[in-house]
Amino acid sequence: MPVRQWDPASKAKVVLEGLQGKPETAICKRHRIKPAEYRRWRKQFLARIARSFVSPRRPSTQRSAVLPGLARAGDESSKALRVAQELIEVLPIPVYFKARDGKHLGANKAWEAYFGVVRESFIGKTVQELFSNAPEAAARHQAADEELWRNPGARSYELQVPVRDGSIRHTLNYKATFTGADGEVTGLIGTIIDITERKRAEQRQAIEHRVTRLLSECETVAAAMPGVLAAFCESLGWACGTRWSMDAKAGGFRCEEAWSIDDPEIAAFLAASRESTYQPGQAGLVRRVLGTGQPVWIVDIAAEESFLRGKQAAKAGLRSAFALPIRLGEQVLGALEFFHRDERLPDEWLLNTGVAIGSQVGHFMARKQAEGELRRSEARFRSLTALSSDWYWEQDEQFRLTFMSSRFAERTGIDPAPYLGRRRWDRPALNLTESDWERHRAQLERHEPFFDFEMERASPDADSVWLSVSGEPVFDEDRRFRGYRGVGTDITERKRAQGVLRAAYDELARSNAELQQFAYVASHDLQEPLRMIGSYTQLLERRYGDKLDRDAHEFMDFIVDGATRMKQLIEDLLAYSRVGTRGKEPQPVHAQTVLDKVRVNLRAAVEQSGATITHDRLPDVNADDTQLAQLLQNLIANAIKFRKKDEAPRIHVGAEDAGDEWRFAVADNGIGIEPQYFDRIFMVFQRLHTQDEYPGTGIGLAICRKVVERHRGRIWVESAYGKGSTFRFTLPKIQKGET
Ligand code: ADP
């Protein structure tokens, strides 16, 4: 490998790398030189600079008022010096020179820009003047200088310093002494490397790391927050911090947690903050943050009048503050607030760090909320399954039973084990055929929900158990089918009861039909012997009438009268039984036409009684027209029959729309009915008067009721005794498609 020739300018460059803070080992490695050699070059370089300061000075040239003496031309080492000077001047990092007495000899352009000080004006001034607003930083620099005077050489240290825009910068300061021709230390050269960005990145990472750990270790927001606030404050030198949350119930927001350095005044201020609830608004600190969702910075609390707690904060020695929202996406869940004892200008980095923590906290809160919801819904589910007599089950994608809650065994007495891992149709159900199962299976394969699927399963301690299951398909987030879940219920008792009910119903229907038949046959067959009684009585009368005495004649009249009434009764009974046996299928009929026919039938009675019959517009109904006529005729005939002695009957036939049905009414101004008879009069042969008062058999209203009920309607009476009665009945409306 060819040995590189090092000219003075190149050596100066290498030395300046070191002055910029690059570690010695790295420089040596990169340029392939030995550390001893590097140190020798540095010594030579600094000695040359030192010499230039101690040599008799001339007024500085145009080019360098800053590095006086460095620009003299003509020296034997002038070339190297000029290179060094030019390099220093254009270095992007601040470089300065100081004499042993601590006074500045010069600085480069970058230094000028960094401190915002015109360098010519600063020559001869001390570090105390440079950091007049930060005496602590000045003292630290001075101490480092003194250390160097005692132990010449090089040293570096980190320091936070305020710069001209008021912001705080992290600096890495590198200083090295140089000696004069006599070998005495004459001054030092210093460089300042701004490591703020790196420091901040480290700090932010450390804070976020600490916060992440806290949030993962804590169960609740309340438990985590003091540590989170401390992580921020301690790392960045802020005095205290708080978390605020919206309290929907109190209709405002509250300070939930706080952390502060150990200071009773600050602790008192925080305690006061936690006492009340605040309303969101346009002023204040947290109020503004929650009102606008934006961070707010207050440089000087004392000057901010709208800040409600400002006075107390100032009293506690707090000067600056800022607050920012805790967000989850667009939603503002609360706010974080921090206070500093010194004046602090708005710092975007600090705000961003706070916002990042706010979002970490926001996610944590949301997670905790979701976990809470989940816990509550699980508890609900648990108590639901514990309290319900139903059981819960799950099936996988292959429809195999994967879970069955314990209620199943408790309710049915069946061990679920043989069913687990199997499909519903793998085990027999007594009520289902192959094709029933096929249909069910096809439904599951279509991933459809199903309801009340009934199965009769063999059971160890009963004949069988009836189960009803309902289920819904389960899909994951990607809409992939994951199986079924559902509930099941034991319907054995219901099924048994249904069986009993059906048997009773069948029995009832059978005996009803038998009765109908019996009534029909009986009334029909009774007519014949009755006719015989009638005709033989008449024969007796004709043949032996003149041989019989008065009493015998009277007795025979009784027989004829009884037979006539019996005939009437039998005919009525026959008519009654025919309502059920001879009825026609209902079909749409015009009620008005039916009424007109009835009026014709009743013409004689109407004329005789002087009755007037009025009516509403009557609708079309679905009915057996003969029976509807019978119904209306019975009611109107009764209205005429049960009229008052001194008043002509006034009868009105009405019809009104009552939703699904028509409600008819036949109203009269007759004698009325006492309420206790409202039900009785609809029974067969029940009547309230003697034959002499009002003739009749008491079957009319029974027929009316049977007709109405056959048409799926109801009939009832409303009446004021002595004033009149209204008989009402309903008929279902004609459904669409029936016309
Ligand atoms: P009948 O008319 O043959 O007596 P119904 O079954 O038609 O038999 O009537 C039963 C009873 O109801 C009647 O006896 C009468 O007392 C009473 N009733 C029926 N319609 C009216 C009415 N419009 N006004 C007063 N009472 C009535």
Side-chain angles (χ1 to χ4, degrees):
M1 195 186 294
V3 178
R4 186 166 169 192
Q5 288 301 311
W6 289 98
D7 59 78
S10 308
K11 286 182 189 170
K13 269 189 197 158
V14 172
V15 171
L16 281 164
E17 277 180 35
L19 293 182
Q20 288 178 57
K22 195 163 180 181
E24 198 177 285
T25 45
I27 296 170
C28 294
K29 201 169 162 202
R30 178 162 170 232
H31 298 293
R32 297 210 192 94
I33 50 175
K34 295 210 163 59
E37 192 165 12
Y38 168 72
R39 274 182 224 131
R40 192 155 43 80
W41 290 357
R42 189 172 68 195
K43 208 169 163 191
Q44 284 168 358
F45 176 84
L46 291 173
R48 240 181 249 132
I49 287 174
R51 262 203 303 286
S52 72
F53 285 116
V54 292
S55 307
R57 291 181 196 175
R58 291 190 315 184
S60 55
T61 65
Q62 289 303 86
R63 263 197 329 169
S64 181
V66 183
L67 305 171
L70 287 184
R72 285 176 304 129
D75 278 353
E76 71 291 348
S77 58
S78 63
K79 190 179 166 221
L81 271 173
R82 209 172 51 247
V83 169
Q85 182 196 4
E86 277 165 9
L87 279 173
I88 289 170
E89 180 64 0
V90 299
L91 269 183
I93 55 163
V95 180
Y96 57 92
F97 298 92
K98 274 190 209 175
R100 268 229 51 165
D101 56 8
K103 290 188 173 152
H104 279 69
L105 297 170
N108 70 350
K109 251 205 189 92
W111 184 95
E112 192 173 40
Y114 195 71
F115 289 101
V117 174
V118 178
R119 42 191 167 166
E120 283 88 345
S121 69
F122 201 70
I123 288 169
K125 292 192 176 157
T126 63
V127 72
Q128 276 78 12
E129 288 164 277
L130 188 60
F131 293 113
S132 57
N133 59 342
E136 279 170 33
R140 192 59 216 285
H141 279 306
Q142 170 130 23
D145 290 357
E146 273 157 17
E147 176 65 29
L148 269 176
W149 304 146
R150 278 194 296 278
N151 299 305
R155 60 180 281 115
S156 62
Y157 56 95
E158 287 182 19
L159 193 62
Q160 283 189 51
V161 292
V163 291
R164 63 180 159 139
D165 66 359
S167 66
I168 303 290
R169 309 296 297 180
H170 288 268
T171 58
L172 173 65
N173 295 269
Y174 181 87
K175 287 176 177 171
T177 52
F178 53 75
T179 46
D182 52 2
E184 283 293 305
V185 171
T186 49
L188 63 81
I189 176 171
T191 63
I192 302 166
I193 297 160
D194 193 306
I195 54 168
T196 310
E197 296 315 316
R198 196 188 81 211
K199 269 278 168 205
R200 290 186 150 183
E202 282 169 10
Q203 263 176 337
R204 181 157 167 178
Q205 208 177 10
I207 296 171
E208 285 182 8
H209 183 73
R210 204 167 138 188
V211 169
T212 307
R213 218 188 50 222
L214 271 165
L215 294 180
S216 70
E217 283 167 359
C218 291
E219 273 308 307
T220 61
V221 187
M225 275 326 285
V228 170
L229 296 169
F232 187 90
C233 292
E234 284 177 344
S235 309
L236 302 173
W238 287 65
C240 65
T242 54
R243 178 180 77 99
W244 295 73
S245 77
M246 290 298 300
D247 183 344
K249 260 191 246 135
F253 55 92
R254 271 207 320 250
C255 173
E256 300 285 357
E257 299 92 19
W259 178 90
S260 78
I261 52 169
D262 192 8
D263 180 318
E265 301 264 356
I266 296 179
F269 161 65
L270 293 179
S273 292
R274 296 179 74 157
E275 261 162 28
S276 23
T277 304
Y278 298 81
Q279 305 301 317
Q282 294 309 305
L285 184 55
V286 177
R287 269 191 301 163
R288 251 191 295 167
V289 170
L290 291 177
T292 62
Q294 298 301 319
V296 173
W297 193 289
I298 299 179
V299 177
D300 187 0
I301 288 170
E304 192 86 14
E305 286 191 355
S306 74
F307 186 19
L308 289 182
R309 293 169 298 136
K311 265 207 191 76
Q312 292 160 290
K315 209 175 132 229
L318 301 169
R319 186 89 190 269
S320 298
F322 75 97
L324 48 92
I326 299 175
R327 281 179 174 283
L328 184 71
E330 286 304 296
Q331 203 188 345
V332 177
L333 304 176
L336 297 178
E337 176 194 52
F338 298 97
F339 290 89
H340 203 286
R341 287 171 137 168
D342 300 331
E343 185 175 298
R344 280 285 180 264
L345 296 177
D347 180 336
E348 202 171 333
W349 174 81
L350 207 64
L351 271 179
N352 287 340
T353 307
V355 167
I357 290 171
S359 124
Q360 267 181 296
V361 173
H363 278 103
F364 180 76
M365 287 167 71
R367 201 180 75 220
K368 286 291 152 192
Q369 213 173 341
E371 283 173 7
E373 289 290 333
L374 197 67
R375 260 199 308 280
R376 276 190 291 281
S377 101
E378 272 176 359
R380 269 200 298 273
F381 178 71
R382 261 199 306 280
S383 58
L384 198 71
T385 45
L387 294 174
S388 162
S389 57
D390 294 355
W391 56 86
Y392 173 78
W393 54 264
E394 285 173 3
Q395 277 176 346
D396 63 12
E397 299 92 321
Q398 310 290 319
F399 315 122
R400 287 176 304 218
L401 190 67
T402 51
F403 176 81
M404 182 71 105
S405 70
S406 56
R407 187 64 90 227
F408 172 74
E410 287 164 27
R411 290 286 299 172
T412 63
I414 299 178
D415 177 10
Y419 290 92
L420 284 166
R422 295 236 170 82
R423 285 163 303 192
R424 206 165 276 131
W425 45 86
D426 288 343
R427 295 185 67 82
L430 308 178
N431 63 322
L432 299 175
T433 61
E434 269 311 307
S435 61
D436 290 332
W437 280 128
E438 260 326 300
R439 267 198 303 283
H440 179 59
R441 187 184 178 141
Q443 193 174 17
L444 298 198
E445 271 159 6
R446 288 195 301 271
H447 303 160
E448 287 172 1
F450 61 91
F451 302 97
D452 290 331
F453 182 72
E454 295 184 356
M455 291 174 288
E456 188 182 8
R457 298 279 200 197
S459 133
D461 26 81
D463 298 344
S464 66
V465 171
W466 278 90
L467 315 174
S468 166
V469 288
S470 301
E472 59 171 17
V474 179
F475 298 96
D476 65 15
E477 310 81 63
D478 302 324
R479 298 297 303 152
R480 267 198 309 259
F481 174 69
R482 283 286 172 232
Y484 269 86
R485 68 175 160 227
V487 290
T489 184
D490 184 336
I491 55 164
T492 312
E493 266 174 35
R494 195 176 84 200
K495 276 282 170 191
R496 301 252 149 88
Q498 261 175 15
V500 171
L501 208 65
R502 171 139 295 276
Y505 175 82
D506 290 347
E507 176 58 26
L508 203 68
R510 198 187 51 76
S511 82
N512 230 345
E514 232 173 54
L515 256 174
Q516 289 244 14
Q517 191 60 20
F518 172 77
Y520 180 73
V521 170
S523 44
H524 187 265
D525 293 357
L526 277 174
Q527 283 184 324
E528 184 50 34
L530 202 57
R531 256 196 300 277
M532 259 168 77
I533 295 173
S535 25
Y536 280 94
T537 314
Q538 277 165 9
L539 199 65
L540 262 177
E541 170 80 52
R542 270 205 306 278
R543 283 216 199 142
Y544 309 104
D546 46 355
K547 295 191 182 85
L548 299 174
D549 64 6
R550 260 178 62 114
D551 276 1
H553 275 288
E554 202 178 337
F555 295 161
M556 281 204 320
D557 282 349
F558 284 146
I559 294 176
V560 173
D561 188 40
T564 316
R565 272 190 23 231
M566 187 136 178
K567 185 170 173 278
Q568 186 61 49
L569 282 173
I570 288 170
E571 273 171 8
D572 285 353
L573 207 55
L574 205 55
Y576 177 78
S577 84
R578 277 181 179 146
V579 173
T581 53
R582 300 282 164 89
K584 291 182 286 189
E585 266 311 298
Q587 52 188 1
V589 294
H590 197 38
Q592 185 61 57
T593 317
V594 175
L595 179 64
D596 292 343
K597 217 180 280 167
V598 168
R599 289 175 71 162
V600 172
N601 293 349
L602 291 174
R603 189 185 291 145
V606 170
E607 277 169 8
Q608 193 203 333
S609 63
T612 44
I613 303 177
T614 54
H615 61 84
D616 294 341
R617 241 173 73 100
L618 300 185
D620 288 354
V621 290
N622 214 27
D624 171 340
D625 57 347
T626 313
Q627 291 189 346
L628 182 59
Q630 203 172 2
L631 171 63
L632 285 172
Q633 187 162 325
N634 284 0
L635 294 176
I636 296 171
N638 275 353
I640 296 172
K641 179 160 65 171
F642 298 103
R643 64 177 180 270
K644 284 191 210 143
K645 297 243 152 19
D646 49 357
E647 214 174 320
R650 280 196 315 280
I651 303 160
H652 182 78
V653 181
E656 61 186 29
D657 189 336
D660 290 345
E661 52 190 23
W662 289 107
R663 187 177 295 168
F664 288 83
V666 177
D668 63 44
N669 59 341
I671 59 172
I673 304 163
E674 288 175 275
Q676 66 266 35
Y677 302 122
F678 282 0
D679 288 333
R680 215 175 97 182
I681 53 172
F682 291 98
M683 292 175 180
V684 178
F685 299 143
Q686 294 294 331
R687 48 201 323 275
L688 308 177
H689 307 278
T690 61
Q691 285 299 331
D692 298 338
E693 287 173 307
Y694 298 98
T697 56
I699 203 107
L701 288 179
I703 288 178
C704 289
R705 188 171 74 175
K706 204 162 178 190
V707 167
V708 169
E709 286 178 355
R710 192 176 160 252
H711 287 81
R712 288 179 289 125
R714 291 164 290 122
I715 184 166
W716 69 99
V717 67
E718 291 159 10
S719 174
Y721 188 56
K723 291 197 174 141
S725 317
T726 302
F727 283 82
R728 294 187 194 281
F729 64 91
T730 63
L731 290 179
K733 277 190 180 165
I734 298 175
Q735 299 299 312
K736 278 203 185 84
E738 279 181 342
T739 41

